[in-house]
Amino acid sequence: MPIASMKELKEREELKDKMTGDHHAGDDGDVPKEALEMPVDGERLPTDFHGIYHEKQIGALCAVHALNNLVQARWFDEVGLAEVARDLDRREAALLSSPVADHESQNVRGDGFFSVQVILQALQRAGLACGQLGSTANRERGDAGYILNRREHWFALRRIGDRHWFDLNSMAKTPQEMSPAHVDLFLQAHFEKGYSVFAVRGAFPSHRLERDAGALAAAVAACASS
């Protein structure tokens, strides 16, 4: 087994602290501890954080937030995802040869929570492919985004530039930056907690921070100080 560098050891300790200190370990999914104590108000908090797009939680719309945070723009909303869900309901009813009205939707709830099938279909319509990872060994070098789900919470990780990843959990007030090595540790910890991890691949929209190294460095520094 290769000997870990000092940087890797430091990142492992930071991840351990994050898993045991900053996040709740109960049944609320990957919800930052501070969000449980003082929930974020997605209707009032801004979506721009030093050039990083970061929607905060509104109701049960974490799937909408995860998708928009992933693509770094407001591409998706609950109305569009509900239409995807209704289309899936119609297809499922057709397979069963029964009216849609006879079946409770398995793809959307009244509070705005959407099924994984809706997420996959919405991404496909946007020209992005989404596949579930079995382990961190299935990551690809060019990966730029992941969405994670456990129970009823979705959130996104997104790479901006060559080496800066951001945890864009809608339950947190600010993004959290991490290195590529940290992402491996982060995903492994979430696999162990029972999360499903999906790699989203394709042509993401260009990000202005990738064209402005100074602004990207400032955003990273702001994440570290928040």
Side-chain angles (χ1 to χ4, degrees), residues 14-201:
E14 289 173 349
L15 180 60
K16 181 179 178 181
D17 290 342
K18 184 172 185 177
M19 293 294 100
T20 60
D22 294 339
H23 289 71
H24 190 262
D27 293 334
D28 295 288
D30 196 59
V31 180
K33 183 179 179 181
E34 64 271 17
L36 293 172
E37 297 170 348
M38 187 177 296
V40 296
D41 186 347
E43 293 183 339
R44 299 182 64 180
L45 292 172
T47 57
D48 180 77
F49 182 83
H50 299 269
I52 300 170
Y53 186 86
H54 182 213
E55 289 185 7
K56 268 70 76 175
Q57 192 76 12
I58 299 175
L61 297 176
C62 56
V64 175
H65 305 316
L67 291 175
N68 287 332
N69 290 339
L70 175 75
V71 300
Q72 287 291 283
R74 186 170 171 75
W75 277 17
F76 304 92
D77 60 32
E78 59 272 29
V79 176
L81 292 191
E83 180 53 42
V84 173
R86 286 192 291 270
D87 185 46
L88 289 170
D89 288 339
R90 287 190 288 267
R91 295 187 204 174
E92 292 164 4
L95 289 174
L96 296 172
S97 300
S98 60
V100 176
D102 291 346
H103 299 275
E104 181 179 354
S105 176
Q106 299 300 306
N107 295 296
V108 61
R109 289 198 319 234
D111 61 1
F113 182 80
F114 296 95
S115 71
V116 63
Q117 289 81 8
V118 171
I119 308 305
L120 300 182
Q121 185 66 31
L123 286 168
Q124 183 177 348
R125 292 184 180 186
L128 296 167
C130 184
Q132 187 168 358
L133 297 183
S135 71
T136 55
N138 299 126
R139 292 184 66 201
E140 294 184 2
R141 183 179 181 85
D143 283 350
Y146 302 106
I147 51 175
L148 290 80
N149 171 259
R150 183 168 77 104
R151 296 191 176 95
E152 297 189 354
H153 188 56
W154 291 91
F155 71 100
L157 303 183
R158 172 65 192 271
R159 176 171 57 79
I160 300 176
D162 294 331
R163 58 189 181 87
H164 297 292
W165 282 84
F166 297 89
D167 174 358
L168 298 165
N169 197 324
S170 59
M171 295 298 291
K173 290 184 178 179
T174 61
Q176 299 297 310
E177 189 265 349
M178 62 182 82
S179 70
H182 198 160
V183 173
D184 269 333
L185 297 169
F186 185 92
L187 292 179
Q188 183 58 43
H190 283 72
F191 276 124
E192 293 172 0
K193 291 171 67 176
Y195 272 80
S196 296
V197 179
F198 300 84
V200 182
R201 294 164 180 155

